[in-house]
Amino acid sequence: MLGKLLKYEFRATGRSMLPVLGVMTLLVALANVSVRVLDKNIGGFLAVLFGLIIFATVIAVIAAEIMPIVVMVTRFYRNLLGGEGYLMHTLPASVHSLVWSKLIVSCVWMLLTNLVIFLLGGLSALHLGDLSLGQIMAGFPSSAEIRAALEQMGVGGGDVTLLLVEMALIVVLVQLVTCLHFYAAMSLGHMFTRHKGLFSVLFFLGFSYLFSAIFSSFGVSQLSNEVFGTVETALDSIRLAQFILGESIGATLIQGVVFYIATVLGLKKGLNLA
C-alpha cells in the first residue's frame, strides 16, 4: 500500500513542484544571458528588461527553496487533517504508511530542489566564467594523488568514507526531521476542537524551544574538547569532525523519534476532524 500512496503523492505534489523547478531553470538560463548582455554596458529598455529578469531569477530561486515546505504542510493538512482526512483514514493503510508516504515524498522534493539549485549555480558559474567542465576537472588532483596525500597525513580511506557517509546521513536526516517537526505540531494541534492553527503553532514553537534548551545544555564543542583535547594533525581534525557529526546525527535522530511518535499518536488517538 505504501507504494501506491507514494505514487499518488508524487503525482499530486509534482503538479506544484515541477512547474516551479522548470520556471526557475528557465529564468536562470535567461539570467545568464542577461548578465552577459549587461556586461556590454547597454542602456535603455533592454537594460531594464534584463535587470528585471535577473531580479525575477533571484525571486524564483527563493520561491523554489520555500515551495517544498509549503507543499509539504498543505498536503499533510488537506490530506490527513482537513476534509480529505475522512477519506484517507478509511483507506486500507496504516497511519505509519500514510505518514511515511508524505515524509518520503517531501524529503525527496527538498533534496531534489537543493540539488537542482546547486547544479544550476555551478553551471552558471562555469558559463559566466567562460570555463568548461574539463578545465575545472583538470585543476583537481587525481584519485591516486588524493590517496597518496591522505596516506602521507596518516589518514586512511575508511576515515574519509565514514566522514562522507555521516555528512550525507545528516543532510537526509535534517530534511526528514524538518518535515516531522511540522507534522507533529499539526497533528497535536488538531487534537483540539477550537483554535487548531494556534495550537499547532504553539506546539511547533514549544518543540523548538524544548530541544534547543536540552541540546544546548550538553555543550557539544565543550564535550569535543574534553574527548579530543588539542587537535594537532589532519587525522585529529577528521576524527573530531566525525565525532561532531555523530553527535549531531544522534541528536537529530532523537528529535525525529519524538516527532514521529507525536505525529502517529496525534493521528491515531486524538485527531479531531470536526
Side-chain angles (χ1 to χ4, degrees), residues 156-199:
D159 292 306
V160 177
T161 301
L162 177 59
L163 181 63
L164 293 175
V165 169
E166 286 182 329
M167 291 172 64
L169 184 58
I170 192 65
V171 168
V172 175
L173 284 176
V174 166
Q175 309 300 320
L176 292 173
V177 172
T178 298
C179 297
L180 285 170
H181 192 169
F182 282 98
Y183 293 168
M186 288 190 290
S187 298
L188 295 178
H190 279 71
M191 294 172 64
F192 297 87
T193 305
R194 302 176 61 186
H195 307 300
K196 298 176 183 180
L198 175 60
F199 281 111

Side-chain angles (χ1 to χ4, degrees), residues 21-38:
L21 294 177
V23 170
M24 180 187 65
T25 302
L26 177 60
L27 284 174
V28 169
L30 292 175
N32 287 337
V33 176
S34 300
V35 171
R36 284 186 172 275
V37 173
L38 289 174

Side-chain angles (χ1 to χ4, degrees), residues 250-274:
T252 306
L253 280 174
I254 292 173
Q255 292 182 76
V257 170
V258 172
F259 291 152
Y260 185 81
I261 293 173
T263 301
V264 172
L265 289 179
L267 293 175
K268 273 187 174 181
K269 305 297 183 181
L271 185 60
N272 187 346
L273 295 175

